[in-house]
Amino acid sequence: GENVEQHPSTLSVQEGDSAVIKCTYSDSASNYFPWYKQELGKRPQLIIDIRSNVGEKKDQRIAVTLNKTAKHFSLHITETQPEDSAVYFCAANSGYALNFGKGTSLLVTP
Amino acid sequence: DAGVIQSPRHEVTEMGQEVTLRCKPISGHNSLFWYRQTMMRGLELLIYFNNNVPIDDSGMPEDRFSAKMPNASFSTLKIQPSEPRDSAVYFCASSLRTVFGYTFGSGTRLTVV
């Protein structure tokens, strides 16, 4: 499938700090960019998404930004809490399917 | 709504055996996707169906893997013969016509010894 690159692979922050995860995609036809959170042993769950007709979307402590020209999008988590610790995946659609980045393991230490 | 239901949750099998994973999508969803998750390769799309028809199976690793969707409420992923490198978590996901509302099942953790 089309390529989605995600960085960093691991991220450790202190509680209350911000965390930023960045992704790039290769399919210029992609128009939907969701982010999933996966806790240990659980299924990936959608936390926020953005469509190509907007550049930014915010939901409480999380926000996503999209730069279609540069083909990159980012997840921002502010005021991090220990319960934010999980693996986060970005994705971009290719037709009706989603191609995922390899994930970022976020650790929030108290 | 019970969500996407996968079975079994865990499967341990010996190399060379046939393995069948099962998925029941959310009622009314007409797109179904099979993914494989490993530490090294992340979430890989294996195959997806739209209205029970396979649309893209380019992610299926080799001929040992096959998938079917005989009706709108059931799909199987079969590995025959299984090999230790097939050990992974296999997720099924479904959606309604588009990628919006893409929902994952709980996954099947497969171990081939």
Side-chain angles (χ1 to χ4, degrees):
Chain A
E2 297 293 336
N3 209 31
V4 177
E5 299 284 338
Q6 182 172 348
H7 300 279
S9 57
T10 61
L11 180 59
S12 182
V13 300
Q14 285 203 316
E15 183 177 2
D17 288 350
S18 294
V20 180
I21 303 170
K22 298 183 179 182
C23 289
T24 60
Y25 61 98
S26 61
D27 186 355
S28 56
S30 296
N31 59 3
Y32 178 64
F33 309 91
W35 288 85
Y36 284 76
K37 176 182 180 182
Q38 186 179 27
E39 296 176 343
L40 192 62
K42 302 277 185 71
R43 75 189 76 187
Q45 292 197 297
L46 178 69
I47 55 171
I48 194 167
D49 57 13
I50 189 167
R51 303 186 190 187
S52 59
N53 57 346
V54 298
E56 185 173 356
K57 182 177 178 180
K58 193 172 181 180
D59 182 4
Q60 298 183 336
R61 295 186 299 108
I62 59 174
V64 289
T65 58
L66 170 66
N67 183 327
K68 279 220 79 178
T69 303
K71 293 186 188 169
H72 66 70
F73 56 114
S74 301
L75 176 72
H76 304 251
I77 306 175
T78 58
E79 299 171 28
T80 53
Q81 301 167 2
E83 50 265 38
D84 294 330
S85 297
V87 179
Y88 291 80
F89 292 94
C90 63
N93 73 305
S94 184
Y96 286 167
L98 289 177
N99 294 306
F100 287 83
K102 289 194 175 178
T104 296
S105 179
L106 174 64
L107 177 64
V108 181
T109 54
Chain B
D1 187 347
V4 177
I5 299 172
Q6 290 187 245
S7 65
R9 289 297 307 275
H10 303 275
E11 177 81 31
V12 180
T13 191
E14 290 186 346
M15 183 174 63
Q17 295 299 305
E18 177 181 297
V19 175
T20 299
L21 312 182
R22 298 173 176 80
C23 177
K24 176 178 167 55
I26 291 173
S27 178
H29 281 192
N30 61 355
S31 293
L32 183 140
F33 311 83
W34 282 100
Y35 284 85
R36 178 172 67 178
Q37 184 176 37
T38 60
M39 288 292 292
M40 290 297 294
R41 301 173 71 91
L43 273 164
E44 299 174 275
L45 177 64
L46 300 178
I47 186 171
Y48 79 93
F49 297 83
N50 195 37
N51 292 324
N52 312 338
V53 176
I55 301 300
D56 183 357
D57 66 354
S58 59
M60 296 286 262
E62 46 197 277
D63 291 346
R64 297 185 297 106
F65 286 69
S66 62
K68 294 181 179 179
M69 192 164 186
N71 57 63
S73 58
F74 184 65
S75 177
T76 59
L77 178 67
K78 186 177 292 186
I79 309 172
Q80 166 63 16
S82 58
E83 297 183 1
R85 59 192 169 116
D86 302 331
S87 298
V89 180
Y90 291 81
F91 284 102
C92 174
S94 71
S95 72
L96 179 62
R97 285 200 304 275
T98 70
V99 291
F100 311 130
Y102 214 87
T103 303
F104 282 87
S106 296
T108 295
R109 180 174 294 278
L110 173 66
T111 303
V112 183
V113 297

